[in-house]
Amino acid sequence: MQGLVSSGVRYSQAKRKLVLASDHDRASVQGSGIEHLVHFLPAGDRPDATLENVFPLIGLAFSREGEADLADGIVALRALGTVPEIPIKRLSAEAVSESAGLIQALVDGGVGRLARFSSAITSELALLRRERETLLENYRALEDAFQARNWEPVAEVFAHDPYVDPKDEGIGHLIANAFVEQLLPVSSHGVAGIALHFNSVPRDGGELVVVLSYVESGEGVAEWAVPFSQLVPGWNFFALPRTCGGGAKTLRLRVSTTGSETIGLSLGYPIASEHYTARSETRHADLDLRPLAFRVYTGLPGVKPTRMPNMIAPTALLDGHFIEDYRLSVDLLSQIVDVSVTPVVPEFQTVRFLEHEHAVVCHPLANGVSAGAVGRAVEPGTISFSASAVVDHPKGAPAAVSFLLAPAGSNARSEVAELARKGVVKPSAFFSGWREVTNEQPININFQLDEPVRHPMDLMILSRAVTDSVDFSWLKVSGFRMVKQSGGASHAQQ
């Protein structure tokens, strides 16, 4: 390091100019013994003038014209924030020999050495900057070369093409009442998205729920809750914001739907390995030795594969959480109890269970709140709740629907009365808010809790009038889906 500094200083003594003067005063400087230290600025216009190898400490002027010209010439140096203002000293041409000795002492003394050392550092910084720019240019060249060879940013690594069997019954009702799981026969490392194929997609009336998780740990990756209106017939790409990293694991895909309409999820060709066929908790003939039709992509996350009509971002990232969804069973829904709060008792049954549709009817009344309660329907750890609602009559008047979660064993009618009287619920309860429902098309109601419930809770389905009429307002609620979420530590203890 010392050798580099000393050689830089010697180079500075031979090449660096530390004094500025105007060309007008060249004759006064020549023969004074310091002309080798002086850089002369050309007089007049100087569009091409440069200060190469010049690190000026002082400016010398021996005439009025030289002083004025020198003052104009050093204006360009003020743009350099690291160079201090350069003083201009007016000297007498007759006493140039005495003044030259002082200038020589200044340049050869400590100030001059410091100036030469600073100029050497500036040169080294400039060299490092040029080397950095060269490295960046080389990196960009390598990146361009890589993109030239891999100009497809997202690559398909596995696929099961859709196959329609003439004897297919369709699995739309299966995923509406349960779910379908599919193991992906690829390593999770680098997976950036999954594509699913649908042979038919209804316009409205439901929501598709796709959950991606790891098999070995049970840890969730992401969840997509997509209204049918955002899906298209054919392939739909479910993208991840970042690729699956860490150790290579096995991925599990779970597909289900909510709402009254069914969607045509496509199956693939029969395969020999039962391990990688689609499965469900409910037996279905179409799932025998057949996988889902799906594609697996790796590459840059958040980039849509070419020829893919759409790209769907996840609604929730599940890193570090374990996700389990469950449906309310028929036995549980059949135990619904009427807990309506109304001044007038109607002559017909306003709350009842429709066994053949796995749905609940809650008919609003002109005054008060109609309500049905299902005891201990919500399990501990539940973080969200969803269902589909519609007025199930072509002439039915619109109604408002809501859901209320209260601690198990509480007085359900008292909870409803509190809401009807004050418009708010008790601190121990959760309220979804009112949603208006018509007979035109079903709506999806998603109830996201701020934190998972800690104890079992009762579920109450509420309805009330929206207009002066409640004629034929048979409000039907179906597709009850709960999602439980737990952290890694609690899951491991279980």
Side-chain angles (χ1 to χ4, degrees):
M1 188 68 180
Q2 292 179 353
L4 291 175
V5 173
S6 60
S7 62
V9 171
R10 289 195 299 272
Y11 175 78
S12 299
Q13 290 176 343
K15 298 293 185 180
R16 307 291 183 192
K17 304 291 186 178
L18 304 180
V19 182
L20 285 182
S22 173
D23 227 13
H24 288 288
D25 298 326
R26 184 183 291 270
S28 300
V29 177
Q30 287 178 345
S32 62
I34 61 171
E35 61 268 20
H36 64 287
L37 302 173
V38 179
H39 175 78
F40 294 98
L41 295 178
D45 296 335
R46 50 179 74 86
D48 299 329
T50 62
L51 295 178
E52 185 177 1
N53 293 330
V54 177
F55 196 88
L57 292 177
I58 191 172
L60 300 182
F62 295 89
S63 62
R64 184 178 300 172
E65 296 82 1
E67 183 178 6
D69 187 66
L70 185 60
D72 293 338
I74 63 175
V75 171
L77 290 179
R78 293 174 182 168
L80 302 176
T82 57
V83 177
E85 191 71 23
I86 301 171
I88 299 177
K89 297 299 180 181
R90 178 76 177 272
L91 303 179
S92 173
E94 290 77 11
V96 64
S97 57
E98 293 82 358
S99 301
L102 295 176
I103 297 299
Q104 183 76 36
L106 173 67
V107 172
D108 292 337
V111 177
R113 287 195 298 273
L114 180 60
R116 287 190 293 271
F117 184 67
S118 300
S119 64
I121 292 178
T122 304
S123 299
E124 294 292 337
L125 290 176
L127 180 61
L128 290 175
R129 181 179 179 182
R130 286 194 295 269
E131 291 178 352
R132 174 179 174 273
E133 292 175 351
T134 302
L135 288 175
L136 289 176
E137 290 176 359
N138 292 339
Y139 172 78
R140 283 190 288 267
L142 289 174
E143 188 179 39
D144 294 341
F146 176 80
Q147 293 295 340
R149 293 178 60 87
N150 303 274
W151 55 282
E152 191 70 56
V154 181
E156 177 184 312
V157 295
F158 189 87
H160 272 308
D161 293 328
Y163 169 68
V164 179
D165 192 311
K167 296 180 290 184
D168 277 351
E169 299 176 5
I171 59 174
H173 291 286
L174 175 61
I175 60 177
N177 299 317
F179 57 84
V180 173
E181 285 186 347
Q182 174 71 58
L183 296 185
L184 306 185
V186 296
S187 167
S188 66
H189 190 73
V191 170
I194 310 293
L196 292 176
H197 190 276
F198 302 97
N199 51 67
S200 63
V201 178
R203 276 188 153 187
D204 294 294
E207 186 177 65
L208 177 75
V209 180
V210 179
V211 178
L212 188 65
S213 60
Y214 295 117
V215 174
E216 290 81 0
S217 63
E219 182 182 356
V221 178
E223 180 185 49
W224 295 263
V226 190
F228 289 164
S229 58
Q230 297 181 15
L231 301 173
V232 298
W235 291 106
N236 294 260
F237 182 63
F238 298 83
L240 289 170
R242 55 181 178 269
T243 58
C244 297
K249 303 175 185 177
T250 308
L251 289 171
R252 175 192 286 119
L253 199 66
R254 174 177 285 194
V255 184
S256 61
T257 60
T258 62
S260 58
E261 300 293 330
T262 58
I263 192 171
L265 180 63
S266 300
L267 293 168
Y269 288 81
I271 58 176
S273 176
E274 296 184 9
H275 190 65
Y276 291 108
T277 57
R279 298 183 181 183
S280 178
E281 61 182 6
T282 305
R283 292 185 59 84
H284 194 282
D286 293 343
L287 297 185
D288 291 341
L289 298 179
R290 294 181 65 184
L292 294 180
F294 67 92
R295 294 175 177 175
V296 181
Y297 289 88
T298 61
L300 299 178
V303 177
K304 185 180 73 172
T306 56
R307 300 179 300 278
M308 192 66 66
N310 62 349
M311 183 174 70
I312 304 167
T315 53
L317 295 178
L318 310 177
D319 293 342
H321 293 90
F322 300 88
I323 297 299
E324 178 185 352
D325 59 354
Y326 62 98
R327 309 298 180 105
L328 296 186
S329 65
V330 175
D331 294 338
L332 196 60
L333 285 175
S334 63
Q335 299 174 15
I336 190 168
V337 179
D338 190 342
V339 292
S340 302
V341 176
T342 175
V344 179
V345 179
E347 298 179 355
F348 59 92
Q349 187 178 0
T350 58
V351 177
R352 69 177 186 270
F353 171 63
L354 301 178
E355 184 176 358
H356 62 287
E357 297 186 45
H358 296 186
V360 170
V361 168
C362 188
H363 195 295
L365 298 174
N367 295 295
V369 176
S370 297
V374 182
R376 304 181 71 88
V378 182
E379 299 178 6
T382 299
I383 190 66
S384 67
F385 167 79
S386 63
S388 175
V390 66
V391 175
D392 195 20
H393 195 283
K395 297 181 180 180
V401 64
S402 65
F403 299 102
L404 177 63
L405 306 183
S410 59
N411 189 323
R413 199 178 299 273
S414 173
E415 299 281 352
V416 176
E418 182 84 5
L419 175 63
R421 184 175 62 255
K422 298 181 179 180
V424 295
V425 297
K426 298 178 180 178
S428 59
F430 300 94
F431 180 56
S432 67
W434 293 100
R435 288 282 305 276
E436 184 173 341
V437 188
T438 65
N439 60 359
E440 296 179 358
Q441 63 184 24
I443 65 168
N444 290 314
I445 305 171
N446 295 294
F447 186 13
Q448 187 75 29
L449 305 180
D450 294 333
E451 58 181 14
V453 299
R454 298 181 180 179
H455 306 286
M457 304 194 78
D458 297 340
L459 168 64
M460 278 162 267
I461 305 165
L462 289 69
S463 68
R464 69 180 185 184
V466 174
T467 62
D468 295 335
S469 173
V470 292
D471 294 342
F472 308 107
S473 185
W474 296 105
L475 177 65
K476 184 176 70 175
V477 185
S478 60
F480 299 92
R481 174 180 179 262
M482 312 285 191
V483 176
K484 291 196 298 185
Q485 184 181 99
S486 59
S490 61
H491 189 275
Q493 292 175 359
Q494 294 174 1

